[in-house]
Amino acid sequence: MLDTVEPLGTEEVPVERALGRVLTAPVRAAGDVPRFPNSAMDGFAVTAGPAGRRLRIVGESRAGHPAGETVADGTAVRISTGAAMPAGADGVVPVEEARDDGDHVTVEAPVAPGRHVRLPGEDLRAGAVVLEAGIRLAPAELGVAVSAGAATVTCGRRPRVTVLSTGDELRPPGAELGPGEIHNSNAVALAGLATVAGAEVLGAERVSDAREATRAALSAALERSDVLLLSGGVSVGPHDHVRPALAELGVEERFWGVQLQPGKPTWFGRRDARLVFGLPGNPVSALVTYTLFARPALLALQGGTDDAARGEAELAVPVRRHNREQALRVRLERRDGRLLATPNGPQGSHVLSSMVGADALAMLPPGDGEAPAGFVVPLIAL
Ligand code: AMP
Ligand code: MG
């Protein structure tokens, strides 16, 4: 699937609006950071020398207001954290080690050259790559970009996503439910997942279980979107209209059906560069297959890679195996130096609460009987 995904292109994004975006060109430091030698403490800038000296205070260096005066043997400049070191000073005596009597200060500790001084380039070196292309921009990365001097960053274009939930039974959040009706939880959950993956969600609509309505909704969504996230209607029931409608609209099926529990009916296809994910309707199946298939694709469209943390853990309890690979929702806990995975409640594909508080998907390979406690399973962090 990922082999067929081409990145959508790039754009310059102001750093203030780049949270969660994929960086597609490296960020280099425009200059040294720190840019100038400055004090790591509130205190006095002095020349190097022994304890016990009594020095005349000749000026003050505050953050943003460097001192004009020069420091020499016998003098000191009052200094704040982050303020520029005055010419002639070698080090800083913190206020805690100084007796300040207004005009003079007595230094109670020896000062070696460079003491409590931050040097240019200690954080970032001019010209060095400080953020690599392909990473996602979290708050710390944005802070580093700003301190490196950037006002904008080059990012992958955000995929435009339409979420379509199929099902006559679906009602909006909070609606009073008639017989056989349920609240449409997939629309909100899938839109949220796509948003945190960096996508721009154009809309989340409900589509009724009718052939023509399904075709019309898919057709309109395909015109304006890079990615369609469909939920429901991709199984083999008489009211599952998604596959025939997609075929009529020229969306080429790449796969239908995966050896996964939950998530068996998952469908993937494309029309030109547009990607269509037909996710199962069961709420857990929809979120699990989104995580395993759609999320990596959304990141690849932005020029990034699947950045979900991976690892492995031991099952804390025996788990019945299945003839398909299982994606168990687990909580993780460290006990006696071992990482243990406990299923987060009942694992039915309709038990959406099993996703709440789950730390990871534990991928249990297919097999017979039970996997015993201690069985090692690969993890994909949620
Ligand atoms: P389907 O894949 O359409 O056969 O649906 C499978 C199950 O998931 C049924 O129990 C549906 O009622 C349920 N379901 C389908 N879509 C949603 C949705 N958007 N939100 C919550 N449950 C859903
Ligand atoms: Mg349905």
Side-chain angles (χ1 to χ4, degrees), residues 8-35:
L8 292 170
T10 65
E11 61 188 5
E12 284 298 301
V13 180
V15 284
E16 295 87 346
R17 291 209 297 274
L19 184 62
R21 301 289 298 269
V22 174
L23 189 67
T24 52
V27 173
R28 291 175 186 278
D32 279 344
V33 178
R35 214 159 61 83

Side-chain angles (χ1 to χ4, degrees), residues 33-284:
V33 178
R35 214 159 61 83
F36 50 88
N38 67 86
S39 177
M41 303 289 273
D42 291 327
F44 296 88
V46 300
T47 57
R53 292 178 291 161
R54 186 163 188 272
L55 309 171
R56 190 164 56 84
I57 301 168
V58 296
E60 181 174 22
S61 179
R62 289 155 53 205
H65 303 279
E69 296 82 0
T70 295
V71 172
D73 287 339
T75 65
V77 158
R78 210 181 284 280
I79 196 164
S80 316
T81 304
M85 289 294 288
D90 300 316
V92 171
V93 185
V95 282
E96 295 82 352
E97 296 172 0
R99 222 168 45 243
D100 179 356
D101 56 28
D103 296 334
H104 288 78
V105 59
T106 304
V107 173
E108 294 174 331
V111 176
R115 187 157 184 259
H116 298 313
V117 177
R118 303 160 169 173
L119 295 176
E122 274 185 358
D123 185 2
L124 311 176
R125 282 261 168 237
V129 172
V130 298
L131 297 173
E132 303 277 357
I135 65 162
R136 284 192 83 200
L137 296 165
E141 282 73 15
L142 291 175
V144 167
V146 170
S147 71
T152 64
V153 280
T154 311
C155 296
R157 183 165 78 67
R158 303 175 71 185
R160 290 170 305 215
V161 170
T162 298
V163 175
L164 291 175
S165 334
T166 71
D168 282 351
E169 74 279 31
L170 303 176
R171 302 278 287 128
E176 211 163 301
L177 299 178
E181 292 180 340
I182 64 170
H183 290 122
N184 181 353
S185 59
N186 288 350
V188 170
L190 290 172
L193 286 168
T195 302
V196 296
E200 180 191 349
V201 176
L202 302 180
E205 302 161 23
R206 192 208 72 147
V207 183
S208 66
D209 289 320
R211 178 71 170 268
E212 186 44 37
T214 304
R215 207 196 64 85
L218 291 178
S219 174
L222 276 166
E223 289 308 313
R224 57 170 195 255
S225 318
D226 300 303
V227 177
L228 262 50
L229 292 179
L230 311 175
S231 89
V234 283
S235 288
V236 290
H239 308 291
D240 290 337
H241 298 295
V242 166
R243 290 178 60 246
L246 288 168
E248 268 175 43
L249 293 166
V251 182
E252 184 198 347
E253 177 174 298
R254 290 305 180 95
F255 66 75
W256 178 43
V258 288
Q259 289 283 18
L260 183 68
Q261 152 72 28
K264 184 177 174 199
T266 303
W267 189 98
F268 171 66
R270 39 183 302 161
R271 188 172 88 181
D272 308 322
R274 290 172 166 71
L275 310 183
V276 178
F277 292 90
L279 307 177
N282 270 307
V284 178

